[in-house]
Amino acid sequence: MKISTFSSVSAALLLVASLSACGPEPRQTTEEIVSESEIVQPDEIDPVIARVNDSMIRLSDVHREFQARDYDLAAMPERGTEVFDAVVGELVDQKLLALEARSRGLHRSPEARRRMAQAEEQILGNVLLESEIDEATSPEMIERIYQEQVRMVPRDDEIMARHILVETREQADAARALLDAGEDFADLAVRISLDHATRLDGGSLGYFTRSGVSSVFGEVAFATPVGEVSRPFETEFGWHLLTVVDRRRQPAPSFETLQQRIVEIRMFERINELLVELRDGAEITIIQPAPAEVEGRDVSDPNPAETPE
């Protein structure tokens, strides 16, 4: 998992000479050991996008630049697009400036060395974090944490129900009489229910828990057996009839639902753990300014002017 860089991969061929009991075998050529079709060339993995004198700009360089601009790697602009070509042009300019600075010997100046050392520390720190995060958020680790979370999450009973909403108790009693006479609940809901959000779906409310609805509605719904119709009851919206279609234990959240959140939490935890480990194993001294350095200054001013003599 990358923080601010996109890995470039290079292929290396390792030739191993084998010995037998009868002495060394004839020397083999590269082609005899590995067929050309099995060798992946670096340019196939990370193609060259531009050349500036003897320097190269590769696809990974462009990807890193896009990531630095908060582009999602999956939605990266493709080669040949205006945005992609514009970034390549900027990298060419940057390469030209860097080459010219080296030709003038500016890379040996104290200021350049100081900045390059700081950049190296930042890059190495990011590479370390990437390595630690990759291990901490491996598929096996995320799956294990997901299973632990699922076991700990309390799951309530939930029911699937349909309901009919009318204005008065008399209308509710009349609807109940039609249902007792064999009228289909869903068809009746389509014809007479005042709940426009569910009427065309036969009054379907989907699955819900007792805590997910009003107390009165939940009390009646969870007291009604599957397949039966409730007594008429009143809420702030009017008079209701409901029928319970199904009852089940609330299913566990899917892996897809929790995956991203688990990854984010695990990243945060591992970074904090690593920093605590490193701080505990290091001698850290914060140098405070001498009293004479702050005497006569306004300590609330982050950039106090020098006091004139």
Side-chain angles (χ1 to χ4, degrees):
M1 179 179 300
K2 286 314 212 177
I3 292 178
S4 61
T5 60
F6 179 85
S7 296
S8 60
V9 184
S10 59
L13 177 64
L14 178 62
L15 304 179
V16 181
S18 59
L19 298 176
S20 66
C22 299
E25 293 188 0
R27 185 173 182 178
Q28 295 177 295
T29 65
T30 299
E31 290 75 11
E32 291 174 321
I33 297 175
V34 180
S35 68
E36 187 172 343
S37 62
E38 295 175 330
I39 303 175
V40 180
Q41 299 298 330
D43 287 353
E44 297 178 37
I45 300 172
D46 192 10
V48 175
I49 302 300
R51 297 180 187 275
V52 182
N53 296 333
D54 294 329
S55 296
M56 294 179 293
I57 297 173
R58 293 186 176 272
L59 182 60
S60 60
D61 299 319
V62 184
H63 283 177
R64 274 194 293 271
E65 184 63 23
F66 274 118
Q67 284 188 293
R69 302 181 186 195
D70 293 329
Y71 271 80
D72 181 3
L73 194 59
M76 197 76 66
E78 297 181 359
R79 294 179 64 178
T81 63
E82 184 178 351
V83 176
F84 189 97
D85 291 345
V87 170
V88 172
E90 292 176 20
L91 291 178
V92 168
D93 291 341
Q94 181 178 310
K95 182 73 71 174
L96 287 169
L97 292 171
L99 291 173
E100 179 63 19
R102 283 185 174 277
S103 72
R104 299 185 186 186
L106 296 179
H107 61 294
R108 291 189 291 269
S109 69
E111 179 63 18
R113 289 179 180 275
R114 191 159 43 245
R115 292 189 190 183
M116 287 190 289
Q118 183 179 14
E120 181 183 40
E121 287 188 355
Q122 293 174 339
I123 292 170
L124 288 175
N126 282 348
V127 170
L128 172 63
L129 289 177
E130 290 164 10
S131 174
E132 291 289 325
I133 289 172
D134 278 343
E135 183 177 346
T137 60
S138 67
E140 297 77 16
M141 175 65 73
I142 299 304
E143 174 66 26
R144 182 176 66 80
I145 296 175
Y146 166 73
Q147 295 297 340
E148 292 175 354
Q149 291 293 318
V150 166
R151 284 195 294 269
M152 292 189 297
V153 172
R155 287 183 284 157
D156 299 327
D157 288 339
E158 61 179 11
I159 62 174
M160 176 186 284
R162 296 180 185 274
H163 88 126
I164 294 172
L165 175 65
V166 292
E167 289 184 348
T168 66
R169 173 62 185 264
E170 290 74 18
Q171 291 172 334
D173 288 337
R176 177 59 194 263
L178 290 173
L179 295 171
D180 290 342
E183 184 81 25
D184 181 76
F185 194 100
D187 290 342
L188 187 60
V190 171
R191 294 207 315 271
I192 70 170
S193 180
L194 300 179
D195 184 355
H196 299 293
T198 65
R199 179 175 65 84
L200 295 181
D201 196 23
S204 177
L205 296 167
Y207 282 99
F208 56 88
T209 62
R210 185 187 292 266
S211 61
V213 293
S214 68
S215 58
V216 174
F217 201 99
E219 180 182 350
V220 175
F222 280 84
T224 303
V226 174
E228 295 190 11
V229 177
S230 71
R231 60 175 175 80
F233 63 97
E234 186 180 18
T235 70
E236 59 183 300
F237 302 103
W239 284 84
H240 303 259
L241 289 171
L242 67 80
T243 182
V244 176
V245 179
D246 188 30
R247 184 187 296 264
R248 69 181 184 183
R249 186 71 178 273
Q250 193 175 26
S254 68
F255 179 79
E256 291 72 22
T257 301
L258 297 182
Q259 180 182 16
Q260 185 59 37
R261 180 61 177 159
I262 293 173
V263 169
E264 291 172 357
I265 293 174
R266 188 64 191 120
M267 286 173 57
F268 179 79
E269 289 177 343
R270 183 53 196 144
I271 291 172
N272 279 326
E273 291 168 358
L274 178 61
L275 289 174
V276 169
E277 292 168 10
L278 295 176
R279 283 178 175 271
D280 288 346
E283 293 185 6
I284 301 173
T285 303
I286 306 299
I287 310 301
Q288 300 296 336
E293 295 181 44
V294 297
E295 183 177 356
R297 292 181 181 176
D298 181 0
V299 295
S300 65
D301 184 355
N303 298 297
E306 292 186 1
T307 303
E309 295 180 358

